Amino acid sequence: MSKLIDFCINITDGEHNTVLKDKDTGYYLLANENLINGEVAFSKDDREISKEQFDKIYKRCKIEDGDILVSTVGELGKLAIVECYNKNYVFQRSVGLIKPDKDKLSPYYLYYLLSSENTQKKIKYLSYGSMQKGLTLDALKNFEVDFPINVDMQEEIIKSLRLIDAQIKRNNAMVQKLQCFKPALNFSEDRGIQY
C-alpha cells in the first residue's frame, strides 16, 4: 500500500481565515455545501468576496481542471471533480483540494475510488470530533491507496462509469429544461395538462 500524497502534486484545503463579504464582484468563496452530485454548484446567492481576497486565496490553492474536491468538515466525503474551471471561485477550509499527478493517477479514477462505499466508510472512520466531524489534511495525505500502476489501465477500468455519468448529466439537464416548460403548460400533478 502507498500513501495518496505519493501520487499527488499537492493536497491542501481552502481558506482558514475570516473573509469579508463583498457585493457584485463575481468572485465567490464557496464551502462544502457547494459540492453536489460530483460537481461544484453555486449561484449569485452564494458568498461574494473581493478580487483581492480571491487572488490571495487562489494563489495558495491554484484550483485547476482535474482537481478533486472533498468535504473535510461536517458532512464528510462529499466529492466533486473540477471540470472547466472558470477562475471565479475558491473554497473555505471545509473543502480539501487534491491535485493528482496526472502521470501517475487519473483524476477520474481517484474520484470514483473516493466515491466507493468502502472508501467513504474509511473516510468517516479516520474523522475526528463528536459534535462536528472533521478530516485532517494529514489523514488525507497518508490515506492508504493501491492503484493500478499504469494510468491508461486506470482510465480503462473507469471508462464505463464515465459513460454512465455523462448520460446521467445529459438526462438531468433535459429534466431541468422540461421543468421550465411546466408552468407554461399549466401542468398539474393530479390532472395532467390543462388547455
Side-chain angles (χ1 to χ4, degrees):
M1 286 287 212
S2 302
K3 295 177 180 178
L4 180 57
I5 191 64
D6 297 333
F7 295 86
C8 296
I9 295 166
N10 193 18
I11 298 177
T12 188
D13 59 6
E15 180 61 32
H16 287 239
N17 296 322
T18 302
V19 179
L20 296 175
K21 287 184 181 181
D22 209 331
K23 289 183 179 178
D24 303 320
T25 65
Y27 295 95
Y28 296 88
L29 180 64
L30 305 181
N32 60 13
E33 64 255 19
N34 296 101
L35 307 182
I36 300 172
N37 297 325
E39 298 179 314
V40 178
F42 66 102
S43 70
K44 296 269 185 205
D45 296 329
D46 280 298
R47 183 178 184 179
E48 288 187 79
I49 60 174
S50 70
K51 171 83 163 61
E52 292 74 28
Q53 286 290 333
F54 170 85
D55 288 341
K56 179 182 164 217
I57 298 167
Y58 178 80
K59 188 176 180 181
R60 183 173 150 274
C61 299
K62 291 189 174 68
I63 300 169
E64 300 170 307
D65 289 354
D67 288 350
I68 306 296
L69 305 168
V70 57
S71 58
T72 56
V73 176
E75 186 182 343
L76 301 180
K78 289 171 56 179
L79 296 162
I81 186 162
V82 177
E83 295 177 316
C84 304
Y85 180 61
N86 57 11
K87 295 195 177 178
N88 72 335
Y89 64 83
V90 287
F91 287 94
Q92 298 175 8
R93 73 174 190 91
S94 62
V95 175
L97 176 74
I98 304 171
K99 286 186 168 303
D101 180 339
K102 293 173 187 169
D103 292 329
K104 299 178 182 177
L105 177 59
S106 158
Y108 290 94
Y109 186 90
L110 177 59
Y111 171 79
Y112 287 115
L113 176 79
L114 292 175
S115 301
S116 73
E117 186 178 344
N118 285 341
T119 304
Q120 286 289 309
K121 284 180 184 174
K122 191 173 176 184
I123 286 171
K124 285 159 182 68
Y125 175 76
L126 293 172
S127 67
Y128 67 91
S130 55
M131 294 295 285
Q132 187 177 49
K133 294 291 185 186
L135 186 67
T136 66
L137 285 180
D138 280 341
L140 272 178
K141 290 176 181 178
N142 295 312
F143 200 83
E144 290 188 346
V145 290
D146 189 16
F147 299 125
I149 292 172
N150 186 304
V151 174
D152 292 333
M153 188 183 296
Q154 294 170 19
E155 286 289 342
E156 188 62 32
I157 289 168
I158 56 146
K159 187 174 9 179
S160 59
L161 290 172
R162 289 190 68 185
L163 288 171
I164 291 166
D165 273 356
Q167 185 61 49
I168 290 169
K169 283 181 186 178
R170 283 192 294 273
N171 290 349
N172 287 341
M174 191 180 300
V175 168
Q176 284 183 336
K177 281 184 182 178
L178 290 173
Q179 291 294 331
C180 295
F181 293 112
K182 194 174 180 179
L185 293 172
N186 193 17
F187 183 78
S188 165
E189 298 281 338
D190 299 326
R191 296 180 293 175
I193 297 173
Q194 302 297 308
Y195 296 98

